[in-house]
Amino acid sequence: MSIEKKISQIQSQVGSKVSLVAVSKTKSEIEITRAYKFGQRIFGENKVQELVSKQNNLPKDINWHMIGHLQRNKVKYIAPFIKLIHGVDNLKLLKEINKQAKKNNRKIDCLIQIKISSEESKFGLTYNDASSLLKSEFISELENINIAGFMGMASNTSEQSILKKEFNLLNDFFNEFKKNDKNIKTLSMGMSNDYILAVDCGSNMIRVGSNIFGSRN
Ligand SMILES: *Cc1c(COP(=O)(O)O)cnc(C)c1O
């Protein structure tokens, strides 16, 4: 199926209330442009250098999302343009994003990454640590960031009951915080293999790569 057909298939499956982040990491600017011409405006990348170079070469009305693990010393390269940073999991990183956002006269939206899977390879904060971080006084002092919600990566399994449990827990956590904080609006969960289930479990932002662009090498 073509990139265009894939995008419209996903859109009709998840509906208009769910944002689709087209994960374009390792994919060419030609492929991104095809999706762009079809109307796709949100693209996700996980490497700073690749992201900066694509941002430089492609249309300026693209909303670029950083979905990968972000190193503090690289925040400065994306701070001028990044629309949303998905994988924030520590206060030092938040402070650096705040500092660089300030330099650029911007307020940058961030999602706190929660470790919803027990797999060792996954990043993120535990629910407890995320709670204390969000309730800490340090956060409220960071005027150039906005905590817009949460992001989670489920286990790499086809076992629906495991995925469902992980997604539902994160959705409960999200709803709990949303009650008291009007800035908390985004729940980023679901990838090519599990986005339909993720949306059923409350996700309103999915990150889909291989399902749109084909498998990566
Ligand atoms: C690569 C990646 C995706 C997309 O994965 P697919 O399985 O290709 O859809 C989503 N989220 C994150 C954080 C990723 O690194």
Side-chain angles (χ1 to χ4, degrees):
M1 231 191 270
S2 67
I3 289 174
E4 293 85 350
K5 283 221 175 93
K6 279 292 183 184
I7 291 174
S8 55
Q9 184 189 51
I10 295 166
Q11 282 170 339
S12 65
Q13 284 168 330
V14 301
S16 58
K17 291 194 181 99
V18 175
S19 301
L20 170 61
V21 180
V23 175
S24 49
K25 60 190 186 194
T26 78
K27 298 297 171 179
S28 69
E29 288 168 10
I30 294 170
E31 289 165 294
I32 296 175
T33 301
R34 274 188 63 176
Y36 176 85
K37 285 192 174 146
F38 190 65
Q40 180 66 29
R41 286 296 177 274
I42 310 176
F43 292 89
E45 292 281 338
N46 71 341
K47 296 227 159 57
V48 167
Q49 204 179 0
E50 185 177 342
L51 172 55
V52 168
S53 142
K54 285 173 174 172
Q55 192 273 337
N56 197 40
N57 297 337
L58 290 164
K60 292 298 172 263
D61 62 340
I62 288 180
N63 293 326
W64 292 103
H65 289 193
M66 176 66 193
I67 62 167
H69 198 248
L70 178 58
Q71 286 173 317
R72 244 181 303 148
N73 60 357
K74 294 193 174 160
V75 173
K76 56 178 176 288
Y77 302 115
I78 61 171
F81 65 85
I82 200 74
K83 188 75 179 173
L84 180 63
I85 300 177
H86 287 236
V88 182
D89 65 0
N90 65 81
L91 182 61
K92 276 184 166 174
L93 179 58
L94 275 175
K95 283 182 172 167
E96 178 64 15
I97 296 169
N98 184 67
K99 182 175 147 193
Q100 298 300 334
K102 197 168 185 172
K103 274 192 190 165
N104 286 280
N105 238 318
R106 301 186 63 212
K107 193 162 184 165
I108 297 180
D109 284 340
C110 298
L111 303 179
I112 301 294
Q113 183 168 359
I114 310 282
K115 191 175 185 307
I116 63 174
S117 154
S118 49
E119 288 166 8
E120 276 307 315
S121 60
K122 301 282 197 297
F123 289 102
L125 291 173
T126 63
Y127 286 110
N128 272 336
D129 289 347
S131 268
S132 2
L133 177 67
L134 285 166
K135 287 170 184 157
S136 80
E137 57 193 292
F138 304 114
I139 286 269
S140 50
E141 288 165 7
L142 305 178
E143 292 179 339
N144 291 74
I145 58 159
N146 174 47
I147 308 286
F150 304 102
M151 181 270 222
M153 268 175 105
S155 293
N156 188 13
T157 174
S158 54
E159 189 60 60
Q160 298 292 295
S161 61
I162 295 176
L163 296 171
K164 202 168 169 183
K165 204 167 130 198
E166 293 174 354
F167 287 146
N168 277 331
L169 263 180
L170 183 54
N171 185 46
D172 290 345
F173 187 76
F174 168 67
N175 283 325
E176 202 50 45
F177 271 91
K178 202 168 66 163
K179 270 190 224 156
N180 304 313
D181 186 342
K182 63 174 175 26
N183 294 318
I184 303 269
K185 289 178 183 151
T186 302
L187 180 56
S188 165
M189 56 182 199
M191 318 189 349
S192 288
N193 289 328
D194 56 21
Y195 67 87
I196 292 179
L197 183 62
V199 169
D200 281 344
C201 297
S203 168
N204 60 19
M205 182 174 281
I206 57 174
R207 311 176 308 270
V208 182
S210 47
N211 196 292
I212 295 173
F213 295 108
S215 61
R216 293 175 297 271
N217 294 325

